[in-house]
């Protein structure tokens, strides 16, 4: 919508550029869009603010967790694992997700893209989450579905399990992960004990 208003479209971006957005903070995505489409006239600040409002509006009605999310979370709770949410998403987006799916008491620690100066692929969100958990990076297991997230987890010195995201049109490069699974249902207590 915002690109169309300025005489541009997503077709001005290659599949590779679009894939590069996954796992990044919205503010970093806007920077990439402006680098890739030099004809945009709206200020970056206004574009970001409008994009953020549109995204939250869409997320409030269309947001869906990855298949198998609820049974996975229940299983992790039953195993008494400390769970952290370390995301490139904004605090508002995280709050919307937590409210929508009643996850208030699930995560011991939440670190968002707002809490760090550098988003993924930098490891900052994961290192901050480990610090808040009072855990060493090598004691942490990260679940990721984006290339930049996998890079961030590995650069943080953590074990990373990549999950193929069924909502992503073109497959992402997850090859740096310690292992790759097709769904959350594959990540059981036995699986975690084996990989840790």
């Amino acid at each position: 919508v915002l690109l169309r208003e300025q005489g541009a479209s997503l077709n001005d971006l290659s599949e590779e550029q679009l894939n590069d957005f996954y796992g990044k903070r919205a503010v970093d995505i806007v920077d990439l869009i402006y680098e890739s489409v030099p004809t945009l006239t709206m200020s970056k600040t206004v574009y970001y603010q409008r994009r953020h409002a549109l995204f939250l509006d869409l997320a409030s009605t269309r947001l869906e967790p990855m298949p198998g999310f609820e049974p996975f979370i229940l299983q992790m709770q039953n195993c008494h694992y400390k769970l952290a949410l370390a995301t490139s998403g904004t605090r508002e987006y995280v709050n919307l997700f937590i409210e929508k799916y009643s996850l208030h008491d699930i995560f011991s620690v939440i670190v968002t893209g707002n809490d760090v100066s550098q988003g993924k692929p930098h490891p900052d969100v994961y290192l901050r989450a480990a610090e808040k958990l009072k855990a060493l990076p090598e004691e942490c297991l990260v679940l990721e579905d984006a290339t930049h997230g996998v890079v961030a987890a590995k650069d943080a010195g953590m074990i990373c399990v990549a999950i193929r995201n069924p909502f992503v049109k073109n497959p992402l490069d997850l090859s740096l992960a310690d292992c790759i699974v097709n769904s959350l249902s594959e990540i059981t207590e036995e699986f975690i004990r084996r990989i840790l």
Side-chain angles (χ1 to χ4, degrees):
V1 174
L2 298 177
L3 289 175
R4 278 201 308 271
E5 284 180 15
Q6 300 175 84
S9 78
L10 286 178
N11 293 331
D12 295 326
L13 301 165
S14 68
E15 290 298 330
E16 186 178 314
Q17 287 171 313
L18 293 171
N19 278 356
D20 195 37
F21 294 169
Y22 287 104
K24 287 193 171 180
R25 298 181 306 175
V27 66
D28 298 326
I29 292 170
V30 171
D31 284 342
L32 288 171
I33 289 171
Y34 272 72
E35 286 169 20
S36 303
V37 188
T39 57
L40 298 180
T41 55
M42 187 184 296
S43 79
K44 267 198 228 181
T45 302
V46 171
Y47 185 101
Y48 173 79
Q49 290 168 343
R50 290 190 56 199
R51 180 205 177 279
H52 184 63
L54 284 167
F55 178 80
L56 289 177
D57 187 51
L58 284 171
S60 66
T61 56
R62 297 187 188 179
L63 179 67
E64 286 184 43
M66 189 174 276
F69 176 77
E70 291 180 46
F72 167 76
I73 287 293
L74 184 60
Q75 181 180 201
M76 293 304 101
Q77 279 188 295
N78 290 340
C79 296
H80 304 291
Y81 287 115
K82 280 192 205 174
L83 300 180
L85 177 59
T87 177
S88 294
T90 64
R91 178 67 62 174
E92 289 168 283
Y93 170 67
V94 169
N95 289 344
L96 188 155
F97 181 76
I98 285 171
E99 187 66 35
K100 184 167 184 175
Y101 292 100
S102 303
L103 302 172
H104 303 91
D105 302 320
I106 301 298
F107 300 104
S108 304
V109 164
I110 296 174
V111 180
T112 72
N114 299 109
D115 301 321
V116 292
S117 58
Q118 296 183 105
K120 299 172 187 176
H122 298 281
D124 301 27
V125 288
Y126 288 126
L127 292 172
R128 179 77 55 86
E131 182 185 332
K132 288 185 165 197
L133 285 170
K134 296 182 173 37
L136 296 172
E138 57 267 28
E139 297 173 325
C140 299
L141 172 66
V142 172
L143 304 182
E144 256 301 341
D145 67 348
T147 306
H148 294 304
V150 171
V151 171
K154 294 312 298 174
D155 283 352
M158 299 178 179
I159 297 168
C160 181
V161 175
I163 306 158
R164 290 190 178 93
N165 189 331
F167 302 123
V168 174
K169 183 178 168 185
N170 296 308
L172 301 177
D173 180 7
L174 304 173
S175 60
L176 290 179
D178 294 284
C179 70
I180 301 172
V181 298
N182 291 313
S183 74
L184 281 170
S185 63
E186 295 178 50
I187 305 172
T188 62
E189 182 178 10
E190 181 184 339
F191 175 95
I192 291 173
R193 284 183 179 156
R194 196 167 59 244
I195 200 164
L196 285 175

